[in-house]
Amino acid sequence: MPTKKLYGGIEAGGTKFVCVVAGGPGHIVDEIRFMTTTPEETLGRAIQFFQPFVTSGQVSAIGVGSFGPLDLNPESSTYGFITATPKPGWSNTDVLGRLRRALKVNISLDTDVDVAGLGEYKWGASKGCDPSLYLTIGTGIGGGYIKDGKSLIGLLTLEMGHIRIPHSRELDPFFGICPFHGDCFEGLASGPAIEKRLGLTGAVVPENDPFWDIEADYIASALMNYILTLSPKKIILGGGVMQREFLFPKVRRRVRELLNGYVSSKIVLENIESYILPPGLGNQSGSLGAIALAMQIDEGNNDPRI
Amino acid sequence: MPTKKLYGGIEAGGTKFVCVVAGGPGHIVDEIRFMTTTPEETLGRAIQFFQPFVTSGQVSAIGVGSFGPLDLNPESSTYGFITATPKPGWSNTDVLGRLRRALKVNISLDTDVDVAGLGEYKWGASKGCDPSLYLTIGTGIGGGYIKDGKSLIGLLTLEMGHIRIPHSRELDPFFGICPFHGDCFEGLASGPAIEKRLGLTGAVVPENDPFWDIEADYIASALMNYILTLSPKKIILGGGVMQREFLFPKVRRRVRELLNGYVSSKIVLENIESYILPPGLGNQSGSLGAIALAMQIDEGNNDPRI
């Protein structure tokens, strides 16, 4: 049996980094996890991890899914940089350039949500569903849209967590915590918004708290908008907030109520249980997605993001 | 000088049909307009118009941009049909099959907004801007998104006119007129919604009526959501409501206020006057877009929609 080809993947999170060398799911050759400290130290550890695999010729392509905001415009002078981020020390960090200069292999960079969406599309719950949508609802809210096998990047990367949705001040007097938009979707429904509103982290708010119906309504309103605007064939909901599994049936029910029969698809009207799903790769969507991105570099013999 | 190649285009509206034979803008060889009556009579007139051009070999590809809802899933048994439409007599009309059987040439069908968006992308105000968004705000509200030179179709055609947006009952006690969603974007901001609310058609509501600020807020909220979700490089606003030109500066100003610096693009932050624009082809976006669709059939030697 021929040896399976290996790829490098980096899940570059604001809290921790996961670096893997793998041929795909179930074929992870090496893996390392460490806290995100300074760019110098953190990227240095990643480089150190991959160096022997690169030197021996085992790995010639690395995919990176990073926290942001990222500059992904190839014509920009700060292409491949983390730009103005609240993460201390990381503003204006040339992540892509730094890795490329040190490792001298093909490296492709995309947002954490795009890469997780790619992983789910390649091997997870949205496998082969094109177009598909991956949404994370956690510390922030962000979405990646996979179309023709690639993440969608337009004028800029997508920022769909910040859309405006109906917010009844009577039902929910909370003003929202987004520093830019107040009560946008992220400002109302992210993990920190839940914690600020209830004084408790979402992980411990009891399942029977009436707030969860309000949360499900916000998520469902946003999903309705994405469905009508992007028409995905599958929607994956990841992130810390969605760890509360009882949210899934609430959200599905509310999406169907809000659409009110308008989208004439059996998939949505009759089979919504398999339309809106948790990640199939669990907490590996990001790291395996980075492997999937590296495989695309290899297949296309260039950066799939350009 | 070689003769320019000719194509057929049909703008199939719920009120009127426009059929053209053209090589592009400024090269319209023949054109006919007639009221939309029964499917039999209306499609019959279109067939009669194109027949001599087809028989003589001058036209071998026809693009159609139609009112809907349309079934554009090639695997469906009603592919190419107008499905459940409020337009009397047109429900379950096999538009594509009828035209193909009679004319025996390559014919491609897409929605009216997708085709208008394609026309603007090929020759109009969003020329060469990929991805770009075309939105019509008139009798209904609908959008077409051009990506990689083609209109986006996912699970179904896009229905972005029906997204949920903030609606303050204090500022605007109107309940909305969408039979499915009440106060969705279309339910609040379409031409019929304006007329029902004010008892006057939008065309004659005075420019200084305070309602226009509310209308501009709805349009800007929706545009903000599309920008964050689709990240288009250009947005074209067509349709009857947008004939009131003073709406453009109001909408642009409000989009910038709502985004509040979040989208770090100079195009949006500093140059929004050339980011949100009226159609460059005026009232010909639809018919010329149908010609652009026919040209795509010809280039790809098959239906660009499949």
Side-chain angles (χ1 to χ4, degrees):
Chain A
M1 211 176 80
T3 318
K4 205 170 181 180
K5 209 166 170 183
L6 296 179
Y7 302 91
I10 304 178
E11 184 187 344
T15 307
K16 69 172 195 303
F17 267 49
V18 182
C19 300
V20 293
V21 170
H27 187 224
I28 294 175
V29 169
D30 203 352
E31 177 172 329
I32 186 174
R33 293 164 178 258
F34 44 88
M35 299 308 288
T36 308
T37 57
T38 63
E40 192 67 24
E41 185 180 35
T42 315
L43 295 173
R45 289 192 73 170
I47 290 163
Q48 202 177 19
F49 170 77
F50 286 110
Q51 198 74 71
F53 294 99
V54 167
T55 308
S56 67
Q58 287 176 281
V59 164
S60 61
I62 298 173
V64 186
S66 177
F67 73 101
L70 298 177
D71 182 344
L72 293 179
N73 174 5
E75 283 155 31
S76 161
S77 60
T78 54
Y79 172 64
F81 281 52
I82 290 178
T83 59
T85 176
K87 177 86 185 162
W90 283 81
S91 279
N92 295 310
T93 298
D94 182 8
V95 174
L96 186 59
R98 182 83 205 284
L99 293 170
R100 279 182 175 166
R101 280 189 298 273
L103 292 166
K104 297 185 179 64
V105 290
N106 290 318
I107 304 180
S108 180
L109 172 74
D110 204 340
T111 67
D112 42 12
V113 279
D114 280 349
V115 165
L118 192 64
E120 289 293 322
Y121 165 72
K122 180 99 181 166
W123 295 300
S126 53
K127 188 173 172 177
C129 296
D130 199 325
S132 59
L133 174 66
Y134 176 91
L135 195 75
T136 179
I137 305 173
T139 310
I141 299 182
Y145 181 64
I146 305 298
K147 169 70 184 158
D148 297 330
K150 290 185 187 179
S151 63
L152 174 65
I153 295 174
L155 177 65
L156 297 162
T157 56
L158 307 185
E159 290 292 351
M160 64 178 85
H162 291 264
I163 63 167
R164 277 162 72 72
I165 54 172
H167 168 209
S168 160
R169 291 267 162 87
E170 277 170 58
L171 282 174
D172 180 21
F174 184 63
F175 277 88
I177 58 154
C178 175
F180 291 91
H181 315 116
D183 64 349
C184 67
F185 177 33
E186 177 172 299
L188 289 169
S190 62
I194 296 172
E195 192 165 345
K196 176 113 191 243
R197 186 193 276 109
L198 303 177
L200 277 178
T201 160
V204 299
V205 175
E207 184 174 335
N208 62 3
D209 191 299
F211 166 72
W212 290 118
D213 287 326
I214 294 173
E215 176 77 7
D217 180 62
Y218 293 144
I219 298 171
S221 287
L223 292 189
M224 167 153 166
N225 288 2
Y226 305 144
I227 292 168
L228 296 170
T229 307
L230 296 168
S231 203
K233 291 182 179 167
K234 197 76 88 174
I235 296 175
I236 310 301
L237 300 182
V241 172
M242 296 311 298
Q243 298 283 320
R244 302 301 301 269
E245 288 175 17
F246 61 82
L247 277 173
F248 278 90
K250 276 186 196 288
V251 166
R252 291 178 186 128
R253 198 180 315 123
R254 188 67 183 132
V255 165
R256 210 154 50 176
E257 280 170 16
L258 289 174
L259 284 170
N260 195 22
Y262 189 70
V263 170
S264 57
S265 163
K266 282 192 181 173
I267 293 171
V268 178
L269 297 180
E270 293 168 22
N271 209 4
I272 200 161
E273 290 72 22
S274 62
Y275 183 61
I276 299 171
L277 289 171
L281 302 175
N283 62 4
Q284 293 190 303
S285 313
S287 54
L288 287 172
I291 296 293
L293 183 61
M295 291 171 81
Q296 287 192 342
I297 308 176
D298 203 44
E299 286 157 16
N301 207 16
N302 61 21
D303 189 335
R305 296 297 340 123
I306 298 182
Chain B
M1 208 176 81
T3 316
K4 204 168 179 181
K5 210 167 167 183
L6 296 179
Y7 302 90
I10 303 178
E11 185 187 344
T15 307
K16 69 173 197 300
F17 267 50
V18 181
C19 299
V20 293
V21 169
H27 187 224
I28 294 175
V29 169
D30 203 352
E31 179 173 330
I32 186 173
R33 290 163 180 260
F34 44 87
M35 300 307 289
T36 308
T37 58
T38 62
E40 191 68 22
E41 186 181 33
T42 315
L43 295 173
R45 288 190 75 169
I47 291 162
Q48 200 177 18
F49 169 77
F50 286 109
Q51 198 73 69
F53 295 98
V54 167
T55 307
S56 65
Q58 288 176 281
V59 165
S60 62
I62 297 173
V64 186
S66 177
F67 72 102
L70 299 176
D71 182 343
L72 293 180
N73 175 4
E75 283 154 32
S76 161
S77 61
T78 54
Y79 172 63
F81 280 52
I82 289 176
T83 58
T85 175
K87 177 83 186 166
W90 283 81
S91 280
N92 295 310
T93 298
D94 181 9
V95 174
L96 186 58
R98 182 82 206 285
L99 293 171
R100 280 182 175 164
R101 282 189 296 275
L103 293 167
K104 298 184 178 64
V105 290
N106 290 319
I107 304 180
S108 180
L109 173 74
D110 203 340
T111 66
D112 41 13
V113 279
D114 280 348
V115 165
L118 193 64
E120 288 294 321
Y121 166 72
K122 180 98 182 170
W123 295 299
S126 53
K127 188 172 172 177
C129 295
D130 197 326
S132 58
L133 175 66
Y134 176 93
L135 195 74
T136 178
I137 306 173
T139 311
I141 299 181
Y145 180 66
I146 305 299
K147 169 70 184 158
D148 297 329
K150 289 184 189 182
S151 63
L152 173 66
I153 296 174
L155 178 65
L156 297 162
T157 56
L158 308 185
E159 291 291 350
M160 63 178 86
H162 291 263
I163 63 168
R164 276 162 75 73
I165 54 173
H167 170 208
S168 159
R169 290 270 161 86
E170 277 169 57
L171 282 174
D172 180 20
F174 184 63
F175 276 88
I177 57 156
C178 175
F180 291 91
H181 315 115
D183 65 349
C184 67
F185 177 33
E186 177 172 300
L188 289 170
S190 63
I194 296 172
E195 191 166 345
K196 178 113 191 246
R197 186 193 274 108
L198 303 178
L200 278 178
T201 161
V204 300
V205 175
E207 186 174 334
N208 62 2
D209 191 299
F211 166 72
W212 291 119
D213 286 326
I214 294 173
E215 176 76 8
D217 181 63
Y218 293 144
I219 297 170
S221 287
L223 291 189
M224 166 152 166
N225 288 2
Y226 305 143
I227 291 168
L228 296 169
T229 307
L230 297 168
S231 203
K233 292 183 179 167
K234 197 75 87 174
I235 297 175
I236 311 300
L237 301 182
V241 172
M242 296 311 296
Q243 297 284 321
R244 304 300 301 269
E245 289 174 18
F246 61 84
L247 278 173
F248 278 90
K250 277 184 195 289
V251 167
R252 290 178 187 128
R253 197 181 314 125
R254 188 68 183 131
V255 166
R256 210 153 50 178
E257 280 171 14
L258 289 174
L259 284 170
N260 195 22
Y262 189 70
V263 170
S264 59
S265 163
K266 283 193 180 173
I267 293 172
V268 178
L269 298 180
E270 293 169 21
N271 209 4
I272 201 162
E273 290 71 22
S274 62
Y275 183 60
I276 299 172
L277 290 171
L281 303 174
N283 62 5
Q284 293 190 303
S285 313
S287 53
L288 287 172
I291 295 293
L293 184 61
M295 290 171 83
Q296 286 192 341
I297 308 175
D298 202 43
E299 287 156 17
N301 208 15
N302 63 19
D303 189 335
R305 298 294 344 122
I306 298 184

